[in-house]
Amino acid sequence: MSTIKSRYDVVILGAGHNGLVAASYLAQAGLSVLLLEKNDYIGGATTSQQIFPDYDARLSRYSYLVSLFPHKIIHDLGLNLELRRRAIASCTPYVNHAHQGALLLSNVDAEVGRRSMCELTGNDTEYDELKCFYALPRVFAERVWDSMLEPLVSKEEMSRRFKVDEISREAWRTLVEEPLGNAIERYLRDDLVRGLVFTDAKVGVFTHPHDSTLLQNRCFLYHLIGNKTGEWKVPVGGMGTVASELECAARKAGAEMLTNVHVHALNVTGKTRTVEFHVNGKNESVEARFLLINFGRNVLAKLTGRFFQPDRTDEGSVFKINMLLSRLPKLKAKKIPATEAFCGTFHSDEGYERMSISYDEASDGRLPEKMPCEIYCHTLTDDSILAPDLREQGFHTMTLFGLDAPWSLFVRDNEEMRREAEKKYLASINQWLEEPIESCLALAHDGSPCIESKSPVDIEDALGMYHGNIFHNAPTFPFAERREQVGRWGVETEYENVFFCGSSAVRGGAVSGIPGHNAAMKVLELCRKTANA
């Protein structure tokens, strides 16, 4: 941009996917919109990058799959997105009487899962009980999902929607009123199966099955209600395609964007909102009728000089490893080919009791002896993120997502703890492989392996997410928990016409676009009220 206007209807701080969603809706409605981004690229955590310079492979460094992005937003904004189904849902290896096996669950053939579960447990009972358990979040999703793009209803009103039959009442009680561990232990008997279910309640947060805060319930719901199915799909072209499509939609609608912006002051208490920033070697200042915040409450507090008081459940607990492989490793479980094992989510050391131990060890301030984790190989579903020559040679990307790695473990000596955690997570995977995964890593021209690890401290440093929390703060229930929230959009701040449009909002978190949509609806609602006054 060669010129910047002195005033806009809307200024959005942060051009991640939620900021782009909000910009697209608002610009399409005819408002003047300016997005300010601190990085030299658009897309935030959803962008794809060439992490390993010697290879033409575009990896999504911080985000991987799509489930919560509503079809309505895709349709409204005219996005050209293909979300491809993974043939395999999950693979969980185990040792049973010296026998190396693996529990394989399919997204396309239920009988694959039934046979695999029977091989693990000796009968069909556990598989049938697992189906009964998963019927509960499915019912919950059916009754809640459409409300995610509407003003918040009270907890009492939402609960009335579940008083229609026994399974609905059971879904509400199980997922909202009691710790998730109660239902897992009530429905399921096998430790491996219990752990497989509970991982969705731990990804990104530090919690346990009987956490009285119900943090585990809230996290679980975010992983199971997306578009009423909860299925996580691979965006063709990588996660960066989501960001680029949204950027195109926003620019086409007329939104303006600036990168390499350093915001150094906000005035949010006057009649107008003012943003002071440095860009292209100059200090600039713009006024806005509305200001949308696409970063965490911690960053807003810093910019406004306010005290930030987080909740203990806001701490992030995640360790990410990105890898480029020259070949897929073989499993010790001979019956499962690597192309199936790694196509879905490959679970390791995520047994129910094992994760209780690792949680306790991390709570005591030390890295767990065995660190629970899961890995994904999205190039088995969509290899378009690899250059043709890499595809021909059998290269693949691999991403590891580590659990029970809270920020507090890394903050004192991040470098040393990152190295130690990386070793432990790779060792967890290697126990199931015929060859160590390190031997499958592609090598850069200087001989260094193509592997990158990110601790919660690294994530906070790179993205500003409080204590590395990928949700910005603890996930929320999809309804108003306080009386003053009822009828609002869940994006409001203490400042007039200043709204969260990212994961910090109620119903924020993950790659969803939901808070971006809801912030835009809040602005348009206020515009209509002003026009009709």
Side-chain angles (χ1 to χ4, degrees), residues 205-206 211 213 215 218 310-316 469 473-475:
V205 298
F206 192 51
D211 190 337
T213 69
L215 173 61
R218 289 173 270 149
D311 186 83
R312 71 172 183 83
T313 60
D314 291 334
E315 181 180 21
N469 191 321
N473 37 244

Side-chain angles (χ1 to χ4, degrees), residues 29 36 64 122 147 173 227 237 246 296 298 337 422-423 464 501 503 525:
L36 301 178
Y64 317 115
S147 74
R173 178 171 67 91
N227 286 296
L246 286 168
N298 57 320
E422 180 184 288
K423 290 179 184 176
C501 68
S503 293
E525 179 183 275

Side-chain angles (χ1 to χ4, degrees), residues 363-379:
S363 296
D364 288 340
R366 63 186 191 275
L367 287 176
E369 187 64 30
K370 288 181 174 289
M371 300 195 73
C373 59
E374 46 202 54
I375 57 176
Y376 323 86
C377 179
H378 294 163
T379 44

Side-chain angles (χ1 to χ4, degrees), residues 59-334:
L59 283 77
S60 299
R61 177 175 258 155
Y62 298 108
S63 56
Y64 317 115
L65 296 167
V66 174
S67 173
L68 286 161
F69 207 92
H71 299 316
K72 182 181 188 303
I73 294 179
I74 295 175
H75 179 266
D76 286 350
L77 302 183
L79 306 181
N80 182 23
L81 288 178
E82 180 187 351
L83 304 179
R84 188 171 292 172
R85 189 172 219 189
R86 300 184 297 171
I88 299 298
S90 66
C91 177
T92 310
Y94 60 86
V95 178
N96 191 353
H97 303 297
H99 166 67
Q100 291 273 355
L103 175 61
L104 199 68
L105 300 180
S106 170
N107 278 325
V108 296
D109 187 352
E111 281 306 305
V112 169
R114 182 179 289 277
R115 289 194 301 270
S116 188
M117 189 79 77
C118 187
E119 185 176 325
L120 169 68
T121 64
N123 56 56
D124 288 341
T125 302
E126 193 77 349
Y127 183 80
D128 291 335
E129 287 298 300
L130 185 65
K131 286 181 62 179
C132 290
F133 174 84
Y134 275 129
L136 302 178
R138 182 63 60 84
V139 167
F140 194 92
E142 286 285 344
R143 303 202 178 281
V144 167
W145 179 249
D146 290 339
S147 74
M148 299 287 277
L149 299 179
E150 299 172 350
L152 290 160
V153 301
S154 68
K155 182 178 180 180
E156 293 71 24
E157 166 59 28
M158 188 65 78
S159 70
R160 281 194 285 271
R161 301 181 184 185
F162 287 82
K163 294 179 179 178
V164 294
D165 52 44
E166 187 57 38
I167 189 172
S168 297
R169 285 189 287 270
E170 169 72 357
W172 180 263
R173 178 171 67 91
T174 294
L175 300 172
V176 177
E177 295 184 339
E178 65 180 28
L180 184 64
N182 291 5
I184 290 176
E185 294 164 20
R186 189 163 61 242
Y187 279 85
L188 305 170
R189 295 289 175 266
D190 186 85
D191 181 80
L192 192 77
V193 179
R194 285 177 170 181
L196 173 64
V197 170
F198 191 66
T199 56
D200 281 325
K202 283 179 69 78
V203 171
V205 298
F206 192 51
T207 188
H208 61 90
H210 296 283
D211 190 337
S212 61
T213 69
L214 303 187
L215 173 61
Q216 71 280 34
N217 294 46
R218 289 173 270 149
C219 184
F220 182 78
L221 287 175
Y222 270 75
H223 285 93
L224 270 295
I225 67 172
N227 286 296
K228 299 185 180 181
T229 69
E231 184 176 343
W232 291 82
K233 296 182 178 181
V234 176
V236 174
M239 190 63 77
T241 301
V242 178
S244 62
E245 278 292 307
L246 286 168
E247 180 184 355
C248 288
R251 289 189 185 276
K252 183 179 179 181
E256 302 172 15
M257 303 181 195
L258 282 176
T259 56
N260 290 310
V261 171
H262 174 66
V263 175
H264 53 78
L266 295 179
N267 180 0
V268 292
T269 57
K271 290 185 178 180
T272 60
R273 282 125 297 282
T274 305
V275 184
E276 297 178 17
F277 58 95
H278 187 83
V279 65
N280 297 331
K282 297 193 300 182
N283 288 320
E284 302 281 0
S285 178
V286 296
E287 291 185 354
R289 183 180 173 193
F290 301 99
L291 182 63
L292 301 190
I293 307 298
N294 193 23
F295 45 67
R297 298 172 186 271
N298 57 320
V299 180
L300 178 60
K302 181 180 179 180
L303 288 172
T304 55
R306 294 293 185 92
F307 177 69
F308 175 63
Q309 182 60 57
D311 186 83
R312 71 172 183 83
T313 60
D314 291 334
E315 181 180 21
S317 178
V318 58
F319 195 92
K320 297 186 177 183
I321 303 178
N322 293 308
M323 295 171 272
L324 181 65
L325 306 182
S326 59
R327 68 183 187 279
L328 291 176
K330 296 179 181 178
L331 272 72
K332 291 179 180 178
K334 305 292 187 184

